[in-house]
Coordinates of all heavy atoms in Angstrom, one line a residue:
V1 N 30.4 -32.2 77.3 CA 29.6 -32.0 78.6 C 28.2 -32.1 78.2 O 27.6 -31.1 77.7 CB 30.0 -30.9 79.4 CG1 29.2 -30.7 80.6 CG2 31.5 -30.9 79.8
H2 N 27.5 -33.2 78.5 CA 26.0 -33.3 78.4 C 25.3 -33.3 79.6 O 24.1 -33.3 79.7 CB 25.6 -34.5 77.5 CG 25.9 -34.5 76.1 ND1 27.1 -35.1 75.5 CD2 25.3 -34.0 75.0 CE1 27.1 -35.0 74.2 NE2 26.1 -34.2 73.9
W3 N 26.1 -33.5 80.7 CA 25.5 -33.7 82.0 C 26.3 -32.8 83.1 O 27.4 -32.7 83.1 CB 25.8 -35.1 82.5 CG 25.5 -36.2 81.4 CD1 26.1 -36.6 80.4 CD2 24.2 -37.0 81.4 NE1 25.4 -37.5 79.7 CE2 24.3 -37.8 80.3 CE3 23.1 -37.0 82.2 CZ2 23.2 -38.6 80.0 CZ3 22.2 -37.9 82.1 CH2 22.2 -38.7 80.9
V4 N 25.5 -32.1 83.8 CA 26.0 -31.1 84.8 C 25.7 -31.9 86.1 O 24.6 -31.9 86.6 CB 25.4 -29.7 84.7 CG1 25.9 -28.9 86.1 CG2 25.8 -29.1 83.4
D5 N 26.8 -32.2 86.8 CA 26.6 -33.0 88.1 C 25.7 -34.1 88.0 O 24.7 -34.2 88.8 CB 26.3 -32.0 89.2 CG 27.5 -31.1 89.6 OD1 28.6 -31.5 89.4 OD2 27.0 -29.8 89.9
N6 N 25.8 -34.8 86.9 CA 24.9 -36.0 86.6 C 23.5 -35.8 86.1 O 22.8 -36.7 86.1 CB 25.0 -37.0 87.8 CG 26.4 -37.3 88.3 OD1 27.2 -37.8 87.5 ND2 26.6 -37.1 89.5
W7 N 23.2 -34.5 85.9 CA 21.9 -34.1 85.5 C 22.0 -33.7 84.0 O 22.8 -32.9 83.6 CB 21.3 -32.9 86.3 CG 20.1 -32.3 85.7 CD1 18.8 -32.8 85.8 CD2 19.9 -31.0 85.2 NE1 17.9 -32.0 85.2 CE2 18.7 -30.8 84.8 CE3 21.0 -30.0 85.0 CZ2 18.2 -29.5 84.2 CZ3 20.5 -28.9 84.2 CH2 19.1 -28.6 83.9
T8 N 21.0 -34.2 83.2 CA 21.0 -33.9 81.9 C 20.2 -32.6 81.6 O 19.1 -32.4 81.9 CB 20.3 -35.0 81.0 OG1 20.3 -34.7 79.7 CG2 18.8 -35.2 81.4
F9 N 21.0 -31.7 81.0 CA 20.4 -30.3 80.7 C 19.9 -30.1 79.3 O 19.2 -29.1 79.1 CB 21.4 -29.3 81.1 CG 22.7 -29.3 80.2 CD1 22.6 -28.6 79.0 CD2 23.8 -29.9 80.6 CE1 23.7 -28.7 78.1 CE2 24.9 -30.0 79.6 CZ 24.8 -29.3 78.5
N10 N 20.2 -30.9 78.4 CA 19.9 -30.6 77.1 C 18.8 -31.4 76.3 O 18.4 -31.2 75.2 CB 21.2 -30.8 76.1 CG 21.6 -32.2 76.0 OD1 21.9 -32.9 77.0 ND2 21.8 -32.6 74.8
Q11 N 18.3 -32.3 77.1 CA 17.3 -33.2 76.4 C 15.9 -32.6 76.4 O 15.2 -32.7 75.3 CB 17.3 -34.5 77.1 CG 18.5 -35.3 76.8 CD 18.4 -36.9 77.3 OE1 17.4 -37.3 77.3 NE2 19.6 -37.4 77.6
R12 N 15.5 -32.0 77.5 CA 14.2 -31.4 77.7 C 14.2 -30.0 78.3 O 14.7 -30.0 79.5 CB 13.2 -32.4 78.3 CG 13.0 -33.6 77.7 CD 12.1 -33.7 76.4 NE 11.8 -35.0 75.8 CZ 12.6 -35.6 75.2 NH1 13.8 -35.1 74.7 NH2 12.2 -36.8 74.6
K13 N 13.6 -29.1 77.8 CA 13.6 -27.7 78.4 C 12.9 -27.6 79.7 O 13.3 -27.0 80.6 CB 13.1 -26.6 77.5 CG 13.1 -25.2 77.9 CD 12.8 -24.1 76.9 CE 13.0 -22.7 77.4 NZ 12.7 -21.8 76.3
Y14 N 11.9 -28.4 79.8 CA 11.1 -28.4 81.1 C 11.9 -28.9 82.3 O 11.6 -28.5 83.3 CB 9.8 -29.2 80.9 CG 10.0 -30.7 80.9 CD1 10.1 -31.4 82.2 CD2 10.0 -31.4 79.7 CE1 10.2 -32.7 82.1 CE2 10.1 -32.8 79.7 CZ 10.3 -33.4 80.9 OH 10.5 -34.8 81.0
Q15 N 12.9 -29.6 82.0 CA 13.8 -30.2 83.1 C 14.4 -29.0 83.8 O 15.0 -29.2 85.0 CB 14.7 -31.2 82.6 CG 13.9 -32.4 82.1 CD 15.0 -33.4 81.4 OE1 15.8 -32.8 80.5 NE2 14.9 -34.7 81.6
W16 N 14.5 -27.8 83.2 CA 15.2 -26.6 83.9 C 14.2 -25.9 84.9 O 14.7 -25.1 85.7 CB 15.6 -25.7 82.8 CG 16.8 -26.0 82.0 CD1 16.9 -27.0 81.0 CD2 18.1 -25.4 82.1 NE1 18.2 -27.0 80.6 CE2 18.9 -26.0 81.2 CE3 18.6 -24.3 82.9 CZ2 20.3 -25.7 81.0 CZ3 20.0 -24.0 82.7 CH2 20.7 -24.6 81.7
L17 N 13.1 -26.3 84.9 CA 12.0 -25.7 85.9 C 12.5 -25.8 87.3 O 12.8 -26.9 87.7 CB 10.6 -26.3 85.6 CG 9.9 -26.0 84.4 CD1 8.5 -26.7 84.3 CD2 9.6 -24.5 84.3
G18 N 12.6 -24.7 88.0 CA 13.1 -24.8 89.4 C 14.6 -24.9 89.5 O 15.0 -24.9 90.7
K19 N 15.3 -24.9 88.5 CA 16.8 -24.8 88.5 C 17.4 -23.5 88.6 O 17.0 -22.5 88.2 CB 17.3 -25.7 87.4 CG 17.0 -27.1 87.2 CD 17.7 -28.0 88.2 CE 17.3 -29.4 87.9 NZ 17.9 -30.3 88.9
D20 N 18.6 -23.4 89.2 CA 19.3 -22.3 89.4 C 20.2 -22.1 88.2 O 21.3 -22.8 88.0 CB 20.2 -22.2 90.6 CG 21.0 -20.9 90.9 OD1 21.2 -20.2 89.9 OD2 21.3 -20.6 92.1
V21 N 19.8 -21.2 87.1 CA 20.5 -21.1 85.9 C 21.9 -20.7 86.1 O 22.9 -21.2 85.4 CB 19.8 -20.2 84.8 CG1 20.4 -20.0 83.6 CG2 18.4 -20.8 84.6
N22 N 22.1 -19.8 87.0 CA 23.5 -19.2 87.2 C 24.3 -20.4 87.7 O 25.5 -20.5 87.3 CB 23.5 -18.1 88.2 CG 23.0 -16.8 87.6 OD1 22.6 -16.6 86.4 ND2 22.9 -15.7 88.4
H23 N 23.9 -21.2 88.6 CA 24.6 -22.2 89.2 C 25.0 -23.3 88.1 O 26.1 -23.8 88.1 CB 24.0 -22.9 90.3 CG 24.8 -24.0 90.9 ND1 25.9 -24.0 91.7 CD2 24.4 -25.4 90.7 CE1 26.3 -25.2 91.9 NE2 25.4 -26.1 91.4
I24 N 24.0 -23.6 87.3 CA 24.2 -24.6 86.2 C 25.3 -24.1 85.3 O 26.2 -24.9 84.9 CB 22.9 -24.9 85.5 CG1 22.0 -25.6 86.5 CG2 23.2 -25.8 84.3 CD1 20.5 -25.7 86.0
Y25 N 25.2 -22.9 84.9 CA 26.2 -22.4 84.0 C 27.6 -22.3 84.5 O 28.7 -22.8 84.0 CB 26.0 -20.9 83.6 CG 25.3 -20.8 82.2 CD1 23.7 -21.1 82.1 CD2 25.9 -20.4 81.0 CE1 23.1 -21.0 80.9 CE2 25.2 -20.4 79.9 CZ 23.9 -20.7 79.8 OH 23.1 -20.6 78.5
K26 N 27.8 -22.0 85.8 CA 28.9 -21.9 86.5 C 29.6 -23.4 86.5 O 30.8 -23.7 86.2 CB 28.8 -21.5 87.9 CG 30.1 -21.4 88.8 CD 29.8 -20.7 90.1 CE 31.1 -20.6 90.9 NZ 31.5 -22.0 91.4

């Protein structure tokens, strides 16, 4: 799993800005 609901989470840390971490982990 490199993509969460079609969004890449592992390529760049800044892409997490504004994201709901709890929801992404779930």
Side-chain angles (χ1 to χ4, degrees):
V1 175
H2 288 99
W3 311 79
V4 172
D5 295 328
N6 307 307
W7 169 71
T8 179
F9 63 84
N10 69 304
Q11 293 193 25
R12 300 289 185 272
K13 186 174 182 177
Y14 74 81
Q15 293 170 318
W16 285 72
L17 289 171
K19 297 287 186 179
D20 183 338
V21 175
N22 283 0
H23 175 71
I24 292 168
Y25 263 80
K26 182 174 181 291

